[in-house]
Amino acid sequence: MSAMTLRREIDSAAAQLAQAGIDSARYDAEELAAHLAGTERGRLAFLEPPGDEFLGRYRDAVAARSRRVPLQHLTGTTAFGPVTLHVGPGVFIPRPETEAILEWATALRLPPRPVIVDLCTGSGALAVALSHYRPEARVVGIDDSEAALEYARCNTEGTAVELVRADVTQPGLLTELDGQVDLVVANPPYVPDDSAVAPEVAQHDPPNAVFGGADGMAVIAAVVRVAARWLRPGGMFAVEHDDSTSARTVELVEGTGLFEDVEARRDMAARPRFVTARKGPPA
C-alpha cells in the first residue's frame, strides 16, 4: 500500500464515520490510523507504506467506531490535561469539559503540602492530573466502582495518589478527613435519568457514572454535604453538573450556610459546567 493509498483509506474511513453520525469523523479516522501504526496523527504522511495486514486491522477498527464504539475504547487511552489515561469498558471516559475544573484548581493558592480529594474519581483523571501539577500534595481519589478503580490503579501507578473504594452517599464517610482537606473536586454522575444521550454514552459508559437521579442532583447533594464536612475553613470546592442544573447546584451549596464565594462557572464551550465555593470560617 502506498502513502497515497493510506490517505485514500483515511478519506474513506472519515466518510464512513460521518455517515454513522460521528461529528469528529476526520479526527477519529486519523487517530485510529495513527494508533494502529504506533505513531501520532501529525506523522501519518511520513509513514512507510503499510501492508495489507494493517489495512485489515484499520478497516475493522473503523467498522467498530461506525457502530459507535467509543474511540477511546479502541485506542485504550485518552488525554486529560497533561496526562494520558488508560480507559475502556467499565469506566467513564473523561471529557474535555472537565478540564475546566482542572484549570481552575491549578490556579488556586493552596498550602505547601495540601490535602486534595477527588470524589467519584472514575479513571482517576482529576486526581492524577492534580498530582502531576502538585506533586507535594496528598491526593485521594474515591469511587464506589471496582471496575473503575482497576483503571484508576493503572493510571495512578508511579504517583502518590491514594485510592479508596467507597460510596460518597454513605453517611459518616472517612470522618478522619473532617476539617483536614484543602481542596475537594468532584465530577459525579449528574445527567437526569430521562435525558437523551449519545450512543457512545448510552451503550458504553457505565450508567451509574452518568445518571444522577430524576433531576440529576442525587449524588451532587451528597458531594456537597461531604465536602462541607471535610474542608478546613478557607478550603476550596468544585463540583461539575448538568447544563440544566447550574442554578440548583448554586442553591444547594449556598443552602448549607457553610460556603462563601459561591460561583457558577462555564466550560471552554461557554456552557454552565461547574460550581465553585470556599468553606467559610467556623460558626
Side-chain angles (χ1 to χ4, degrees):
M1 189 199 310
S2 68
M4 185 61 71
T5 303
L6 176 59
R7 177 50 55 191
R8 284 199 297 266
E9 282 294 326
I10 292 174
D11 289 344
S12 176
Q16 182 178 342
L17 296 179
Q19 183 67 30
I22 296 169
D23 293 336
S24 55
R26 167 64 58 175
Y27 173 87
D28 288 18
E30 293 179 349
E31 275 292 299
L32 288 172
H35 169 69
L36 292 172
T39 189
E40 299 175 352
R41 284 173 56 234
R43 297 195 59 81
L44 285 171
F46 305 104
L47 289 181
E48 292 292 325
D52 291 341
E53 187 268 342
F54 173 89
L55 179 58
R57 290 190 295 125
Y58 182 58
R59 288 177 175 171
D60 287 345
V62 171
R65 184 69 186 102
S66 296
R67 298 191 299 271
R68 308 303 290 266
V69 175
L71 173 67
Q72 298 86 348
H73 285 195
L74 298 170
T75 63
T77 62
T78 191
F80 184 80
V83 299
T84 298
L85 303 165
H86 296 280
V87 294
V91 70
F92 181 81
I93 298 170
R95 304 308 202 256
E97 293 85 354
T98 305
E99 293 185 28
I101 288 184
L102 177 63
E103 182 179 357
W104 169 84
T106 55
L108 296 174
R109 296 186 64 181
L110 297 178
R113 288 179 292 279
V115 178
I116 299 172
V117 179
D118 174 22
L119 287 168
C120 307
T121 193
S123 64
L126 281 168
V128 174
L130 287 169
S131 182
H132 173 89
Y133 283 119
R134 300 184 185 271
E136 76 288 357
R138 179 191 178 194
V139 182
V140 182
I142 300 174
D143 205 282
D144 65 351
S145 166
E146 181 58 31
L149 287 172
E150 287 183 12
Y151 290 97
R153 291 185 192 103
C154 181
N155 292 323
T156 58
E157 188 174 348
T159 76
V161 176
E162 306 166 31
L163 295 173
V164 177
R165 184 178 181 183
D167 183 348
V168 67
T169 65
Q170 171 189 333
L173 176 64
L174 298 178
T175 55
E176 63 269 26
L177 292 177
D178 289 1
Q180 305 299 311
V181 178
D182 299 290
L183 171 64
V184 172
V185 294
N187 180 17
Y190 59 68
V191 176
D193 287 347
D194 61 354
S195 297
V197 294
E200 289 86 348
V201 177
Q203 298 169 20
H204 298 282
D205 272 332
N208 65 335
V210 175
F211 298 102
D215 61 358
M217 297 295 293
V219 183
I220 290 178
V223 165
V224 171
R225 287 193 299 269
V226 75
R229 177 161 58 82
W230 283 346
L231 286 167
R232 63 168 176 79
M236 301 299 295
F237 173 54
V239 59
E240 190 166 330
H241 56 69
D242 188 69
D243 291 10
S244 64
T245 57
S246 178
R248 275 180 283 176
T249 303
V250 168
E251 291 172 6
L252 195 62
V253 176
E254 290 179 337
T256 66
L258 299 172
F259 287 100
E260 301 176 337
D261 303 328
V262 181
E263 185 172 349
R265 297 179 183 264
R266 295 177 179 268
D267 61 23
M268 290 169 280
R271 293 178 177 173
R273 183 57 59 199
F274 66 111
V275 168
T276 63
R278 181 189 307 274
K279 178 75 176 291

